Amino acid sequence: MKKLEVDQNKCIGCGMCAGMDPDHFEIDDSGLSTVINQDNIENETISQVIEGCPTGAITIEEIENEEKSTDM
Ligand code: SF4
């Protein structure tokens, strides 16, 4: 399965991702973007957000799914 992630060490808090896709991204208390939802992450909007992030902080990573994930 895939996991949408923001690297907060790279994020500069510009707000673009949360503005374009508030269903998946939120600016948290530290002023940086965080992923709030893993549903339906392979769509055109997210592709544009990933390409548009000025620091390349957003990635979709393939993760092993051997254990049942309960933290969705
Ligand atoms: Fe951070 Fe990139 Fe989102 Fe801007 S677009 S808030 S730099 S993750």
Side-chain angles (χ1 to χ4, degrees):
M1 67 179 283
K2 294 194 185 325
K3 185 165 185 234
L4 181 64
E5 287 187 307
V6 170
D7 183 347
Q8 290 199 336
N9 294 315
K10 291 184 183 171
C11 174
I12 56 171
C14 73
M16 184 279 288
C17 54
M20 275 185 74
D21 189 352
D23 289 342
H24 290 98
F25 302 96
E26 190 174 86
I27 303 300
D28 70 12
D29 292 343
S30 62
L32 300 174
S33 173
T34 187
V35 175
I36 55 171
N37 180 3
Q38 296 290 341
D39 291 341
N40 187 28
I41 59 173
E42 292 184 86
N43 65 51
E44 187 62 27
T45 302
I46 291 192
S47 300
Q48 289 173 6
V49 171
I50 289 171
E51 281 183 30
C53 173
T55 61
I58 308 167
T59 53
I60 291 182
E61 297 203 10
E62 187 78 41
I63 58 170
E64 298 290 332
N65 197 24
E66 284 169 16
E67 292 177 42
K68 260 208 166 122
S69 176
T70 52
D71 62 356
M72 301 289 277

